[in-house]
Amino acid sequence: MTTHAFALRPISDDDADALRRIGGPIYTADEFPGFPCRQCLEDAAIGEELFLVSHDPFDRDSEYRSSSPIFLHRHACQPPSDRDARLPEQLTRRQLSVRAFDGDAMMIDAAVIDGTELEHSIGAFFDDPETKLLHVHNASRGCWAVTVERNAAD
Ligand SMILES: [Zn+2]
């Protein structure tokens, strides 16, 4: 998803492929929603298989740097289109922890929100010019969900 103000950054295709090669425990989705894939940003349909893997969404060192459990569809999938102007339901139907980082990857703000508030919350965090990007996690289990970047044109 891209708006005038921000862009969602799911796990990169390269990182997702590398994690699939390493593999991990395989889950078969037996409820919907309940198994959110962090590449296509869709909840797996019942019967679809996913790997549980550990992903580090940071691109630089920081005291906050850590890996997070995530699901990936077992077979390669596609990130959502940049032209999709809608936040994925995977995000809007969950309680989320939104963490704001500055250019040194230091956390400068954070909030637990209802997913329906995500778009508003992203805008509020980016009102602070020090905010470089946001990490969105599931509030309850802590799984990283997506990174949100300021649009370069913003
Ligand atoms: Zn997927």
Side-chain angles (χ1 to χ4, degrees):
M1 174 188 180
T2 300
T3 70
H4 65 285
F6 65 88
L8 298 185
R9 298 290 177 233
I11 188 172
S12 73
D13 293 351
D14 286 350
D15 285 349
D17 289 345
L19 287 169
R20 286 189 181 95
R21 282 194 296 275
I22 296 166
I26 295 170
Y27 287 72
T28 301
D30 60 1
E31 60 178 355
F32 178 90
F35 294 85
C37 172
R38 303 312 185 177
Q39 184 175 17
C40 62
L41 302 185
E42 299 282 348
D43 277 272
I46 289 174
E48 288 183 333
E49 292 182 324
L50 307 97
F51 282 121
L52 179 66
V53 296
S54 189
H55 173 59
D56 172 4
F58 286 82
D59 60 4
R60 57 183 301 165
D61 284 334
S62 159
E63 285 71 17
Y64 290 98
R65 186 166 201 169
S66 62
S67 293
S68 173
I70 63 167
F71 284 120
L72 287 176
H73 273 117
R74 183 176 182 181
H75 303 290
C77 53
Q78 296 291 320
S81 166
D82 262 1
R83 291 186 300 278
D84 194 343
R86 204 171 43 84
L87 283 169
E89 288 185 1
Q90 175 189 107
L91 301 172
T92 58
R93 65 180 156 217
R94 289 183 165 88
Q95 190 178 45
L96 302 171
S97 168
V98 183
R99 304 165 188 180
F101 293 91
D102 66 14
D104 294 321
M106 297 301 283
M107 196 184 299
I108 55 174
D109 204 352
V112 174
I113 62 163
D114 188 277
T116 57
E117 298 295 314
L118 181 58
E119 188 160 358
H120 172 79
S121 181
I122 291 170
F125 280 119
F126 282 145
D127 279 345
D128 180 345
E130 293 300 309
T131 302
K132 178 163 185 270
L133 54 80
L134 308 173
H135 286 178
V136 180
H137 292 250
N138 274 8
S140 57
R141 298 206 184 200
C143 312
W144 171 83
V146 75
T147 294
V148 187
E149 293 180 347
R150 255 180 218 285
N151 246 352
D154 189 40

